[in-house]
Amino acid sequence: MGANISGGGSIDGDATGPPLRPRLDDIPESCAALILARLNPPEICNLARLNRSFRSASLADFIWESKLPSNYKLIVEKVFVEEDRDLMNLKKKDVYARLTKPIPFDGGTKEIWLDKNTGGVCLSMSSKALTITGIDDRRYWNHISTEESSYRTVAYLQQTWWFEVDGELEFQFPAGTYSLFFRLHLGKSSKRLGRRVCNTEHVHGWDIKPVRFQLTTSDGQHVVSRCYLDNPGSWVLYHVGDFIVENSNALTNIKFSSTQIDCTHTKGGLCVDAAFIYPSSARKEVKLCS
């Protein structure tokens, strides 16, 4: 394939003509693979469209295994049912593609997936996997169906004096820095004549005092932040805090909460979708809390 690079002469074989210029098609597949290994997954997929050499090189297992998290085999064992574990027999590119799609586990109350751009581990816990004070009292809380959550249901608060949502997760994360968020929404959205409408009738009390977010880990990390809830009608990722995983071979236990328990006033009209954990390198549009 690379013979034309060093040879001289014109296209019709005239030795006196100008030397042939190397083309992308002349790059050996092994060299193309080494180039692709230094790129991120979207860049690999874009270059794979250039020609046959890059397309073939983009299928190499060593390229995609380097993009998978160090514990991807553990993820497969933890969340896939037994009949789906033959995923490990697929090409690593196919393994990567499958893991970038949310995979439910723990009875469908949690999801795990890989960030498409970085290969970082992402997790979410639905409102049903969280401990919500008063959730069983229908005077205050209800679970409502919605297409705006990947879990197809959210917890809706009509009114309460004591707002408290707690979560706990234990997982073997790859080493790195992670960010934790609550996905919240002021108002109750629905469809009317095919259009999205938002009922803010019950929204009140969130502008009086901020919500307190807290995060602690089993190795002693502790973060506290406060934020006023705003933007009725829009889903917002509220940044609870960041934590660092140094030992990818150890389980990390995370406890987190969202509270507003000042009983001098009521608050309501809030939808709680889920808690999310993303690699800090995966940039998201979030509400930063102080």
Side-chain angles (χ1 to χ4, degrees):
M1 180 181 295
N4 290 337
I5 296 178
S6 58
S10 63
I11 296 176
D12 60 4
D14 181 3
T16 62
L20 291 174
R21 292 186 177 183
R23 300 170 300 170
L24 277 175
D25 286 340
D26 295 320
I27 297 178
E29 186 178 315
S30 58
C31 293
L34 292 174
I35 294 171
L36 295 177
R38 294 178 174 271
L39 305 179
N40 63 39
E43 291 169 337
I44 293 171
C45 294
N46 287 335
L47 275 183
R49 301 189 183 102
L50 277 178
N51 57 39
R52 185 179 302 174
S53 292
F54 278 94
R55 185 164 57 252
S56 298
S58 71
L59 301 176
D61 274 352
F62 84 90
I63 292 177
W64 291 98
E65 186 150 24
S66 69
K67 309 306 174 188
L68 288 164
S70 59
N71 67 338
Y72 78 94
K73 293 180 181 178
L74 179 138
I75 294 174
V76 171
E77 292 173 1
K78 180 177 177 63
V79 303
F80 279 92
V81 294
E82 188 171 348
E83 57 267 27
D84 289 333
R85 289 179 187 161
D86 60 356
L87 178 76
M88 299 303 300
N89 299 323
L90 300 177
K91 298 281 290 182
K92 293 300 184 288
K93 180 180 180 181
D94 297 326
V95 174
Y96 188 94
R98 177 64 186 91
L99 292 179
T100 58
K101 299 175 183 177
I103 306 156
F105 66 105
D106 278 5
T109 62
K110 300 182 180 75
E111 290 182 341
I112 187 170
W113 67 98
L114 303 184
D115 179 76
K116 288 183 179 180
N117 294 322
T118 66
V121 172
C122 306
L123 281 159
S124 69
M125 299 173 60
S126 73
S127 58
K128 291 186 176 181
L130 303 173
T131 301
I132 302 176
T133 300
I135 189 63
D136 295 325
D137 193 329
R138 293 296 174 262
R139 293 174 299 172
Y140 307 118
W141 287 91
N142 286 287
H143 285 290
I144 60 174
S145 300
T146 176
E147 296 178 356
E148 297 182 1
S149 168
S150 63
Y151 294 101
R152 297 295 184 263
T153 183
V154 298
Y156 178 69
L157 170 64
Q158 295 190 95
Q159 178 174 289
T160 190
W161 296 89
W162 188 290
F163 171 72
E164 184 172 11
V165 180
D166 298 294
E168 183 173 1
L169 177 71
E170 189 171 71
F171 193 77
Q172 188 173 326
F173 289 92
T177 303
Y178 296 85
S179 301
L180 190 144
F181 306 89
F182 274 103
R183 186 172 186 254
L184 307 175
H185 181 284
L186 289 178
K188 184 194 296 186
S189 65
S190 60
K191 288 286 186 69
R192 185 178 301 167
L193 300 177
R195 298 181 62 184
R196 183 184 190 270
V197 294
C198 183
N199 184 345
T200 59
E201 175 187 1
H202 297 129
V203 176
H204 70 283
W206 304 108
D207 57 344
I208 299 175
K209 287 196 174 180
V211 170
R212 183 177 189 267
F213 297 105
Q214 186 170 225
L215 162 68
T216 60
T217 65
S218 51
D219 61 357
Q221 298 176 67
H222 182 66
V223 181
V224 176
S225 59
R226 291 173 176 81
C227 194
Y228 287 95
L229 305 191
D230 53 16
N231 294 324
S234 299
W235 286 102
V236 179
L237 284 174
Y238 289 90
H239 184 212
V240 177
D242 296 344
F243 62 96
I244 299 172
V245 176
E246 295 182 344
N247 185 358
S248 58
N249 296 317
L251 288 169
T252 299
N253 181 275
I254 308 158
K255 294 181 180 179
F256 53 92
S257 63
S258 172
T259 58
Q260 217 283 34
I261 55 178
D262 184 339
C263 294
T264 61
H265 67 281
T266 61
K267 40 265 174 189
L270 176 70
C271 288
V272 178
D273 175 25
F276 288 81
I277 296 175
Y278 295 111
S280 296
S281 57
R283 297 182 180 277
K284 303 290 177 184
E285 292 186 7
V286 303
K287 173 77 173 183
L288 295 176
C289 303
S290 58

